[in-house]
Amino acid sequence: MVVMNCKITERPEPYYCEMEAAIAEYELGFQSPHRELERITLPVHGNIPHWLSGDLIRNGPAIFSLVNGSYKHWFDGLAMLNKFFFYGGIVTYSGKFLASNAYIEALSSERVSSGEFATNPQRSFWERLSTFFKPELTDNANVNIMHIAETNRCFAMTETVSTMEFRRDDLATVGKVQFDDKMPGQITSAHPHFDPRSNSFYNILTNISRVSSYNWYRLDASAGSGMKRRPLISIPVKEPGYLHSFGMTSRYIVHVECPLLINPLELLLSGKPFIENAHWKPERGSRILLVDKETGSLAGTFETEAFFCFHHVNAFETNDEVCIDLSCYDDASIVDALYLKNLLHNRPPEMQLKRIRINLQSKKVTMEKLSQNGIELCRINYQIDNGKDYRIAYGVGLSPESQFLDRLLRIDVGKGDSLIWQQEHCYPGEPVFIANPNGDSTKEDNGVLLSLVLDAQAKKSFLLVLDAQTMTEIGRAWLPIWIPFGFHGQFIEWGG
Ligand code: CO
């Protein structure tokens, strides 16, 4: 079953050049490993549970420097897919760059060739003029993974409409997904929600134009249904808010619009990178839109204080309330803090785990802090907890003296208690929860967390397996290289 042979593809030098002299030990996480590996069996310290069976596929930026230019922001780097295959206590690793047009053109021209989140290509006047009427949207899908179980199709996602399909077995890029519909929009979220009741993914397509709109849709995940997005509702908006993720209860899509607002005309005309056309307008406050998933109607619009967030943790309904848990920032300065020049020198602003409560009767909105410790890149036991009242959230966090995310946390959102995993010189990524099929499957924390950790001193990464109940280590599998800091991944069960 497990293929033990390995293939190492050394990449030629041209697109790699050193960043400035060492600044922080974690800068390695923003440097390319500049090679691809295929089915390397990893040495294991401790144990990998034998019941763990499937692929953890992770996505993230992995090339930041080219010979003639570099990407400016953590969100900009060229995508790399990393796969950990688990079977019978053995782990193999494969890593491959996503062969997007952005990647192919960047390698051949040795410069930034696509408009990214915060970096635009340097172009001559005539080149700019030729792209003016047809703004390019990058296909550098470096944020997340989506898997459709019935068809076993895998996709790399970013915040543009360029969803990229790749092969699960060898991570080879298939190409850009052609959706079988004509939904308008350019910007989406790389965090779709899956609803097992309707066997559908829900997501948004924001159309930025003279009359901009939020277009919510449902994508049927049944085999044979094609890649057709069915519109739920189109909500006109003058200045669309930048949205990274959203929440989903059993009844509602929870759309939190933070006041980091995109100016459509500016986006079209300024020539500036995408996010530089968004402006922080705290006087507007934050809006919460509840969209009924069944009827596609807007069930309510609510207002609360201004804050910024990338990631929703969970959302659920109680008798007369909708609760929305998020990783919040006081303002949008975190976007600036994630430019590489800032990330390598300064501690980023702190996130806070908060709950918004909307009383559907009185329409009152309140916000409360759930824990003294903040988490980012948050995960839950999605299968049993998403959309439901729950207890445990996991994520990465910043210890008091650290400049970068350096610990893993498990937070009891009811009590506020935390359990922490931390190790010197180590920088862990998003912890993905996998339920243990043995034992009590209704227990939300019966399982393990998988996190890809950079050991900056060893200059290597390892895949860490933690007991999700105690946050103690069960085992780790060492890679022969380091992997740059990624964003999100999904665990796909064997045969799933
Ligand atoms: Co994200």
Side-chain angles (χ1 to χ4, degrees), residues 143-144 159 190-191 244-245 310-311 377 487-488:
V143 183
N144 202 357
E159 296 182 334
H191 291 279
H244 182 81
S245 68
F310 288 116
H311 294 114
L377 304 172
F487 298 124
H488 304 289

Short mmCIF file of all heavy atoms in Angstrom, two decimals, residues 143-144 159 190-191 244-245 310-311 377 487-488, ligand 1:
data_model
loop_
_atom_site.label_atom_id
_atom_site.label_comp_id
_atom_site.label_asym_id
_atom_site.label_seq_id
_atom_site.Cartn_x
_atom_site.Cartn_y
_atom_site.Cartn_z
N VAL A 143 -4.04 29.51 -0.15
CA VAL A 143 -4.66 29.69 1.17
C VAL A 143 -5.18 28.39 1.80
O VAL A 143 -4.89 28.09 2.95
CB VAL A 143 -5.79 30.74 1.13
CG1 VAL A 143 -6.35 30.96 2.53
CG2 VAL A 143 -5.29 32.05 0.53
N ASN A 144 -5.98 27.65 1.06
CA ASN A 144 -6.66 26.51 1.69
C ASN A 144 -6.86 25.38 0.66
O ASN A 144 -6.56 25.53 -0.52
CB ASN A 144 -8.02 26.97 2.24
CG ASN A 144 -8.57 26.06 3.33
OD1 ASN A 144 -7.98 25.03 3.67
ND2 ASN A 144 -9.72 26.43 3.89
N GLU A 159 -8.38 33.81 -2.64
CA GLU A 159 -9.52 34.72 -2.52
C GLU A 159 -9.97 35.29 -3.86
O GLU A 159 -10.80 36.17 -3.91
CB GLU A 159 -9.19 35.82 -1.52
CG GLU A 159 -8.98 35.21 -0.14
CD GLU A 159 -8.70 36.18 0.96
OE1 GLU A 159 -8.18 37.28 0.67
OE2 GLU A 159 -8.99 35.85 2.12
N ALA A 190 -11.60 31.68 0.88
CA ALA A 190 -10.97 30.36 0.77
C ALA A 190 -11.43 29.46 1.92
O ALA A 190 -10.82 28.44 2.18
CB ALA A 190 -9.45 30.50 0.78
N HIS A 191 -12.48 29.89 2.60
CA HIS A 191 -13.02 29.10 3.71
C HIS A 191 -14.49 28.77 3.47
O HIS A 191 -15.36 29.26 4.19
CB HIS A 191 -12.87 29.86 5.04
CG HIS A 191 -11.46 29.99 5.49
ND1 HIS A 191 -10.80 28.98 6.16
CD2 HIS A 191 -10.57 31.01 5.38
CE1 HIS A 191 -9.57 29.38 6.44
NE2 HIS A 191 -9.40 30.60 5.99
N HIS A 244 -12.59 37.41 4.90
CA HIS A 244 -11.70 36.25 4.75
C HIS A 244 -12.44 34.94 5.01
O HIS A 244 -12.16 33.93 4.39
CB HIS A 244 -10.50 36.40 5.68
CG HIS A 244 -9.51 35.29 5.56
ND1 HIS A 244 -8.57 35.26 4.56
CD2 HIS A 244 -9.33 34.16 6.27
CE1 HIS A 244 -7.85 34.15 4.67
NE2 HIS A 244 -8.29 33.46 5.70
N SER A 245 -13.37 34.98 5.96
CA SER A 245 -14.13 33.76 6.27
C SER A 245 -15.50 34.16 6.80
O SER A 245 -15.77 35.35 6.99
CB SER A 245 -13.39 32.89 7.29
OG SER A 245 -13.34 33.53 8.55
N PHE A 310 -9.98 37.87 10.59
CA PHE A 310 -9.79 36.97 9.45
C PHE A 310 -10.68 35.74 9.64
O PHE A 310 -11.37 35.33 8.73
CB PHE A 310 -8.34 36.49 9.35
CG PHE A 310 -7.36 37.54 8.90
CD1 PHE A 310 -6.34 37.98 9.73
CD2 PHE A 310 -7.45 38.08 7.62
CE1 PHE A 310 -5.43 38.93 9.31
CE2 PHE A 310 -6.54 39.03 7.19
CZ PHE A 310 -5.53 39.46 8.04
N HIS A 311 -10.60 35.18 10.86
CA HIS A 311 -11.16 33.83 11.02
C HIS A 311 -12.31 33.73 12.00
O HIS A 311 -12.21 34.14 13.16
CB HIS A 311 -10.05 32.86 11.45
CG HIS A 311 -9.03 32.68 10.37
ND1 HIS A 311 -7.74 33.10 10.49
CD2 HIS A 311 -9.15 32.16 9.13
CE1 HIS A 311 -7.09 32.84 9.37
NE2 HIS A 311 -7.92 32.27 8.52
N LEU A 377 -5.77 30.97 13.20
CA LEU A 377 -5.81 29.73 12.40
C LEU A 377 -6.58 28.67 13.21
O LEU A 377 -6.09 27.57 13.46
CB LEU A 377 -4.38 29.27 12.05
CG LEU A 377 -3.52 30.30 11.32
CD1 LEU A 377 -2.09 29.82 11.20
CD2 LEU A 377 -4.08 30.63 9.94
N PHE A 487 -0.85 28.25 5.65
CA PHE A 487 -2.08 28.76 6.25
C PHE A 487 -2.98 27.61 6.71
O PHE A 487 -3.13 27.37 7.89
CB PHE A 487 -2.82 29.67 5.27
CG PHE A 487 -2.04 30.88 4.89
CD1 PHE A 487 -1.77 31.18 3.56
CD2 PHE A 487 -1.53 31.72 5.87
CE1 PHE A 487 -1.04 32.30 3.22
CE2 PHE A 487 -0.79 32.85 5.54
CZ PHE A 487 -0.55 33.14 4.20
N HIS A 488 -3.58 26.93 5.72
CA HIS A 488 -4.62 25.97 6.09
C HIS A 488 -4.44 24.64 5.37
O HIS A 488 -3.83 24.57 4.31
CB HIS A 488 -5.99 26.52 5.73
CG HIS A 488 -6.27 27.86 6.35
ND1 HIS A 488 -6.51 28.00 7.69
CD2 HIS A 488 -6.32 29.11 5.83
CE1 HIS A 488 -6.71 29.29 7.96
NE2 HIS A 488 -6.59 29.98 6.85
CO CO B 1 -7.68 31.70 6.49
#
